[in-house]
Amino acid sequence: MATKITAQMVKTLREMTDSPMMECKKALVEAEGDLEKAVDVLRTMGIAKAVKKAGRDTNEGTVGAYVTPDGHAGALVEVSCETDFVGSNPKFTGFAAQLAQVVAEKNPADVEALKALPMNENETVDAALTELIHTMGENMKIARIVRREIADGALAGYVHGGKLADLVEFSFTKPDTFDTQAFKTFAHDVAMQVAAAQPVAARIEDVPAETIEHEMSIYKKQAAESGKPEAIQERMAEGRLNKYYKENVLTEQAFIKDGDMSIRQYAEKTSKEVGDTIEIVAFDRFAFGE
């Protein structure tokens, strides 16, 4: 008569080995309910090897991005590992890219919810991660995720060197705008700008009030040292704040491919080309390890 495998037995084995729930149940069935033998079964399966590595530092890794074909949903993920050798391995970076697709399409609440989702027809994200740990021989972790979804407009994603990735949200009024080459080029360029120029906000109105207050306090002190009248000092401080905006706010930054044009002006130019009003709404940016 087969030994009945209870939920408590599975829970106990999971706590002993930190292995996936379904693998624990399979091991207990094979071991006919014997916990010690089940541990050996997990070790034989390679699961215990993966678990043993769970304490190792994960200071290397990659970031991945994915945007759905209609441009309405997108995601960024960061996955860490132990060495740069594995961090740049196509199998590892491919896993991150696939993971970003799962996040974009399934909308998990957090990393733990993501782990329970199906990665493909045969396994969950957690099982796929465990298998990759076993295959690559390093500890790995899903460090963070972010997702955006919009009804009107589109998202664009960009990945640079596996260490930088971003999502940029655009608004426009005509659905056909999404399919124009002018918009696609513009969206790609802006996403690339976010990666390269590290803006602190998409628009001036999105810069936190405390940041503006902090910057102005510095500029006013600098202006006061000039000894000029207060009215001139105020204009000097405001001028420096505008310079801060031009250097740090996406729409105000000079376009990296054409320094004579700001990103705002590029948006206006593209809007005229497509006969629509295109605006940059927001962005998310992942630099590995931040």
Side-chain angles (χ1 to χ4, degrees), residues 67-68 203 227 233 264 268 283:
V67 175
T68 55
R203 304 168 296 189
Q233 290 181 27
R264 180 192 298 279
E268 292 169 351
F283 66 82

Side-chain angles (χ1 to χ4, degrees), residues 3 5 9-10 13-14 17 19-48:
T3 303
I5 307 302
M9 292 167 67
V10 175
L13 183 60
R14 179 175 170 78
T17 64
S19 298
M21 195 74 75
M22 290 306 297
E23 301 302 329
C24 288
K25 185 174 182 180
K26 291 177 185 176
L28 282 164
V29 170
E30 185 173 333
E32 298 180 340
D34 187 312
L35 281 172
E36 295 302 322
K37 289 182 179 178
V39 170
D40 289 341
V41 170
L42 288 172
R43 290 181 63 191
T44 302
M45 292 165 63
I47 305 300

Side-chain angles (χ1 to χ4, degrees), residues 221-256:
K221 288 177 183 176
Q222 291 173 341
E225 292 176 358
S226 70
K228 295 182 179 180
E230 286 189 13
I232 295 178
Q233 290 181 27
E234 189 67 26
R235 288 199 295 273
M236 288 173 65
E238 289 175 355
R240 286 169 179 165
L241 182 63
N242 286 330
K243 182 181 179 183
Y244 172 84
Y245 289 150
K246 289 180 180 179
E247 292 174 350
N248 296 283
V249 176
L250 178 59
T251 55
E252 311 309 306
Q253 287 179 332
F255 178 32
I256 56 176

Side-chain angles (χ1 to χ4, degrees), residues 64-69 73-76 97-102 104-105 155 157 159 167:
Y66 178 81
V67 175
T68 55
L76 301 177
Q98 190 178 357
L99 203 59
Q101 181 174 351
V102 174
E105 294 177 346
L155 298 167
V159 179
L167 281 177

